[in-house]
Amino acid sequence: MTVFAGKLVWVLFVLCWGAIRLSYARRAHRNKHISKHDELYEIVLLTLSFLGYLIIPAVYVATTWLSFADYRFQPAMFSLGVATMVATLWLFWRSHADLGHNFSAKLVIREKHKLVTTGVYRLIRPPMYASFLLWSVLQILLLPNWITGLAGVFGFCILYCARIRREEQLMLHKFGDEYRQYMTHTKRLVPYIL
Ligand code: SAH
């Protein structure tokens, strides 16, 4: 397997990821927002995360500007990267399907917001963020470059660290004891563990 194959699979991954996101965002759009939280802050953190997950890897894929930071590409990394990509897309798709009309890219409460505790939400509270963690891993495996690898880790840290507590506070505020109870038997990233 060559570096080109890794780049090609990464492009395919981004296209599939975009198709999932667009189709579910369009459906959720019908459930109107009733409150938005920290909108400017949300735009900044989503933009930074976008930089780490899409812009920097796209520069790596399309140019040779970052080639000074390349590392050796191993066929085993490619196979593991493809397996991680399949897992990422599956978890990302299931998170959208289970969250349904309650989904939003920013922190938002919708008109008919319901607490989802089933499907991939049964064991972990932010499965979509867990899929972003897998995305960072596949980026390291498929694109053998230190800068793109670190950019994906940066994208995840920005999204997760700046979001998770505020999102849980918002859910507690909206759903109270129902969410408190849900928190007692769920984890944040790895079922039963973390
Ligand atoms: N953090 C979740 C959801 C990301 S989408 C995940 O990783 O899967 C972000 C929106 O989902 C937020 O605006 C929040 O209002 C909503 N949300 C998060 N968890 C939810 C849940 N269990 N049920 C319903 N809505 C939820």
Side-chain angles (χ1 to χ4, degrees):
M1 280 302 152
T2 61
V3 173
F4 177 75
K7 289 182 176 181
L8 192 66
V9 171
W10 182 84
V11 170
L12 279 175
F13 163 75
V14 169
L15 292 177
C16 293
W17 185 94
I20 296 170
R21 163 112 320 162
L22 274 182
S23 102
Y24 283 95
R26 203 174 294 145
R27 288 179 224 185
H29 195 64
R30 286 180 227 133
N31 192 1
K32 300 260 177 298
H33 295 168
I34 53 170
S35 62
K36 291 183 184 171
H37 297 263
D38 312 325
E39 223 192 341
L40 183 62
Y41 183 78
E42 285 287 297
I43 290 172
V44 172
L45 78 88
L46 287 175
T47 307
L48 288 173
S49 183
F50 184 73
L51 193 73
Y53 278 121
L54 289 168
I55 304 296
I56 293 177
V59 169
Y60 170 75
V61 167
T63 72
T64 52
W65 299 345
L66 303 178
S67 59
F68 65 90
D70 283 352
Y71 45 82
R72 215 157 72 85
F73 193 56
Q74 316 270 4
M77 281 165 54
F78 179 82
S79 311
L80 215 56
V82 171
T84 311
M85 180 195 79
V86 172
T88 307
L89 286 175
W90 180 82
L91 190 56
F92 188 66
W93 162 60
R94 283 314 314 165
S95 307
H96 276 89
D98 291 336
L99 204 55
H101 290 182
N102 306 293
F103 165 74
S104 52
K106 297 185 211 139
L107 277 194
V108 155
I109 293 294
R110 293 187 180 273
E111 202 172 49
K112 295 176 193 149
H113 211 120
K114 290 200 175 62
L115 180 64
V116 176
T117 59
T118 53
V120 286
Y121 285 82
R122 195 169 68 82
L123 297 177
I124 43 175
R125 297 194 286 282
M128 204 174 290
Y129 299 162
S131 79
F132 279 96
L133 177 61
L134 289 174
W135 182 342
S136 309
V137 175
L138 79 84
Q139 195 156 301
I140 291 170
L141 293 169
L142 290 177
L143 305 178
N145 180 277
W146 290 107
I147 294 176
T148 51
L150 286 173
V153 173
F154 166 81
F156 173 73
C157 291
I158 287 283
L159 189 66
Y160 183 78
C161 302
R163 257 286 182 85
I164 190 77
R165 276 180 204 285
R166 289 183 308 117
E167 185 168 316
E168 288 180 354
Q169 285 306 316
L170 180 65
M171 294 287 99
L172 278 169
H173 181 72
K174 168 75 180 156
F175 297 106
D177 285 344
E178 198 186 350
Y179 195 75
R180 215 162 277 121
Q181 172 64 23
Y182 172 60
M183 289 176 96
T184 62
H185 56 84
T186 48
K187 296 285 179 192
R188 277 183 174 160
L189 288 175
V190 185
Y192 307 110
I193 298 172
L194 191 71

